[in-house]
Amino acid sequence: MLERLHLELTNICNFKCEFCPDGIMVRRRGHMHLDLLTRILDELAATPLTKILAFHLMGEPLIHPQIMTAIDLALERHLKLHLTTNGSTFALRPQHIPQLLERPLPKLTISLQTPDPVTFQIRGAPPHLSAEAYFTGIRDFISAHAASGSPTRIHLKFLDTSPHAFLVPHKALTIAQNRPAMQAHLRHWINQLCPHHPHPEAICNRYQPGRWQLLPLTPRLVLEIFPLDSWGNVTAQQVYPATWGTCNGASRQAGILYDGTVVPCCKDYEGNIPLGSVTTHSLAEILQAAPACQLRQDFSRFQVNNPVCQQCLGADTPTKALLRQAGSLVYFHLYRPWQQWRDPRWGEI
């Protein structure tokens, strides 16, 4: 069973973030048709193929013309649905706030990423969406959520650009370059969202640079910090490709692009490793077919043979490439199992 299936409702986005490969993606743009979505959801409801269904890969799902219907279709089938959004429609389409709050989503991630007006400039937002309006929309949503009976767990996501030996961002960006800078951003947002929080400094002090972290503010609101890395799109520099290592692509995660193409992971934004198409075969058949089986077999033997995976696990220096390959073994075979042993819910957050 997959831990997570990423389903791309659309690969169209109203932002052009400098840290995202949207600007270099050459794949045709479009929305998933509801009949295809319904067929996928019916299979997921009938067959235990994944623990979590995530409306997230490329694109902004809340600009899909039938997004609320898509959410309802998943929830009606009792699928554990996670939704990721850049949060722009809370200002641009404020009706989304009550519409989302009346739907019992298990989790909604708001990719705040750039937490102040200066860094917001790298988001490539629509000209009519100012930083002030964007932040106000997010605060309005979180405030309405706090006052509601919604069971949804909200994650507010910050991008950490502090230097790290394992990471290979495709361009240099400055958002939070060190611990004091990120702590200042966190402190500002804690004061905005929970002005009466009893221990804001304790939360800020838990932050560690260069690490993915979850900092709960309330039982339904979590600050999430994520280090800047590439989507495997290290195209502007020489890449020393990986030849060994491992990944959970096609074994614990997979993705479905809006046109039905199945890919092994959420980083294959171009669909360069097509495993099959759900327009002609079931997802279960695709995951058991030769391309997916070959990937799983290679990774189980610590071999990285696909050129796309070699670039993704590679790096811009030989030393960093070695660290990333070794790090993949440590992460997938030691760290993740240890975390899931400590907390069986860890893979579902």
Side-chain angles (χ1 to χ4, degrees):
M1 176 187 285
L2 301 173
E3 289 180 358
R4 188 178 306 264
L5 176 67
H6 300 268
L7 196 151
E8 180 185 80
L9 290 178
T10 180
N11 67 343
I12 300 171
C13 189
N14 57 349
F15 277 23
K16 300 296 176 187
C17 301
E18 292 185 24
F19 50 81
C20 174
D22 180 273
I24 62 174
M25 184 172 63
V26 299
R27 183 161 52 97
R28 184 177 178 178
R29 310 282 175 146
H31 302 303
M32 180 175 285
H33 295 293
L34 280 188
D35 56 349
L36 177 58
L37 174 63
T38 300
R39 192 187 321 166
I40 295 168
L41 298 179
D42 283 342
E43 181 182 3
L44 296 178
T47 310
L49 293 175
T50 185
K51 294 180 181 177
I52 295 169
L53 173 65
F55 280 177
H56 168 60
L57 205 146
M58 292 295 288
E60 169 49 51
L62 289 182
I63 66 173
H64 189 285
Q66 296 166 294
I67 178 59
M68 296 302 162
T69 301
I71 291 173
D72 288 340
L73 289 171
L75 295 179
E76 288 166 3
R77 287 159 176 77
H78 305 290
L79 299 172
K80 189 169 186 177
L81 179 62
H82 291 184
L83 173 68
T84 297
T85 173
N86 61 30
S88 62
T89 68
F90 300 144
L92 298 174
R93 303 177 188 176
Q95 69 272 20
H96 279 177
I97 294 177
Q99 289 173 345
L100 286 171
L101 293 180
E102 66 189 21
R103 289 167 167 82
L105 283 163
K107 177 184 172 185
L108 190 149
T109 298
I110 304 171
S111 292
L112 173 71
Q113 311 289 26
T114 51
D116 62 16
V118 174
T119 57
F120 180 74
Q121 295 175 32
I122 72 171
R123 301 300 293 275
H128 54 285
L129 180 62
S130 67
E132 181 182 3
Y134 174 68
F135 296 139
T136 298
I138 291 174
R139 288 195 299 265
D140 288 347
F141 175 78
I142 293 177
S143 176
H145 172 263
S148 75
S150 169
T152 303
R153 187 174 73 253
I154 305 297
H155 282 218
L156 189 64
K157 196 169 185 177
F158 296 76
L159 192 59
D160 182 355
T161 58
S162 57
H164 194 285
F166 286 94
L167 305 179
V168 192
H170 73 285
K171 63 171 67 175
L173 296 173
T174 301
I175 297 173
Q177 293 292 91
N178 53 47
R179 193 166 186 257
M182 179 59 82
Q183 287 176 317
H185 290 312
L186 294 174
R187 190 176 296 111
H188 168 78
W189 278 91
I190 292 171
N191 290 335
Q192 291 282 309
L193 301 175
C194 299
H196 304 296
H197 195 284
H199 305 294
E201 288 304 316
I203 292 175
C204 293
N205 289 335
R206 287 177 53 200
Y207 159 69
Q208 296 296 326
R211 290 176 51 191
W212 172 66
Q213 282 186 278
L214 300 178
L215 304 176
L217 283 184
T218 74
R220 294 186 298 153
L221 178 60
V222 178
L223 305 182
E224 179 173 348
I225 297 96
F226 201 82
L228 175 64
D229 199 5
S230 74
W231 270 260
N233 57 323
V234 195
T235 55
Q237 53 195 335
Q238 181 180 5
V239 175
Y240 293 86
T243 56
W244 56 275
T246 192
C247 179
N248 66 355
S251 59
R252 306 304 292 174
Q253 68 159 314
I256 304 178
L257 306 183
Y258 82 90
D259 64 357
T261 302
V262 178
V263 293
C265 72
C266 60
K267 286 191 173 184
D268 188 8
Y269 62 91
E270 290 284 20
N272 286 326
I273 314 177
L275 303 180
S277 174
V278 290
T279 62
T280 56
H281 295 83
S282 70
L283 178 60
E285 290 171 334
I286 292 168
L287 293 175
Q288 292 304 315
C293 289
Q294 185 64 58
L295 269 180
R296 290 195 295 269
Q297 183 180 77
D298 289 347
F299 287 137
S300 70
R301 296 173 176 174
F302 309 143
Q303 298 173 355
V304 183
N305 295 322
N306 188 286
V308 177
C309 301
Q310 289 177 344
Q311 175 165 294
C312 184
L313 279 172
D316 51 342
T317 69
T319 300
K320 192 179 289 186
L322 180 64
L323 287 173
R324 285 172 67 86
Q325 291 171 95
S328 71
L329 300 181
V330 172
Y331 179 77
F332 287 110
H333 287 277
L334 295 176
Y335 181 74
R336 283 181 64 90
W338 175 69
Q339 287 283 15
Q340 290 176 326
W341 173 77
R342 290 180 63 212
D343 185 353
R345 302 169 300 169
W346 186 81
E348 302 180 13
I349 54 180

